[in-house]
Amino acid sequence: QVQLVESGGGLVQAGGSQRLSCVASGTTLSTYAMGWFRQAPGKERELAAAISMRGSRAYYTDSVKGRFTFSRDNAKNTVYLQMNSLKPEDTAVYYCAAKRTYSDSYYATDRNGYDYWGQGTQVTVSS
């Protein structure tokens, strides 16, 4: 059974940094494209960033470009989201998601295309 577990959320002041981690069990992440999604209260879940299965390609939504960095360590079965220059509008529950793939040229931007999801970790940015 595949499980994704996020950690690293919490309360941070605006302008600060935080690193989220997502550890997988029950499978090896080296054959999965990964995504970090976020959902703010009253809003739909949106893609923040996505990465190909070996990390050669990455995608960032416009609102996080230049501030967030998605990385992965397949040997540790872990992906990370480094978040810098945080803003109050980054406040949300952050979810990692995995999509089985066979190409390092691919990342998924459609949330309906993901196979597995974590339970989420809350990130709160105070002003």
Side-chain angles (χ1 to χ4, degrees):
Q1 184 178 356
V2 176
Q3 284 191 316
L4 303 175
V5 179
E6 303 96 335
S7 62
L11 177 65
V12 62
Q13 286 190 329
S17 297
Q18 210 158 34
R19 189 176 83 155
L20 305 182
S21 300
C22 173
V23 181
S25 61
T27 190
T28 174
L29 284 186
S30 61
T31 56
Y32 288 84
M34 300 295 294
W36 279 103
F37 288 77
R38 62 185 185 179
Q39 188 167 18
K43 295 188 177 181
E44 290 196 356
R45 192 172 299 188
E46 66 169 1
L47 177 67
I51 198 167
S52 60
M53 69 179 190
R54 285 195 289 272
S56 66
R57 296 190 69 204
Y59 165 89
Y60 299 93
T61 195
D62 285 346
S63 60
V64 309
K65 278 181 184 175
R67 300 188 298 120
F68 289 13
T69 302
F70 199 164
S71 62
R72 63 190 302 159
D73 186 340
N74 286 342
K76 295 182 178 180
N77 243 17
T78 303
V79 298
Y80 306 95
L81 186 67
Q82 177 66 44
M83 306 184 293
N84 299 328
S85 302
L86 283 162
K87 305 175 181 180
E89 50 264 42
D90 294 318
T91 295
V93 178
Y94 284 72
Y95 300 88
C96 71
K99 176 176 175 57
R100 189 68 182 265
T101 185
Y102 301 96
S103 170
D104 192 41
S105 65
Y106 173 82
Y107 54 71
T109 57
D110 181 356
R111 67 180 183 183
N112 294 321
Y114 282 84
D115 302 308
Y116 302 104
W117 291 82
Q119 293 300 303
T121 185
Q122 175 71 47
V123 173
T124 302
V125 184
S126 63
S127 57

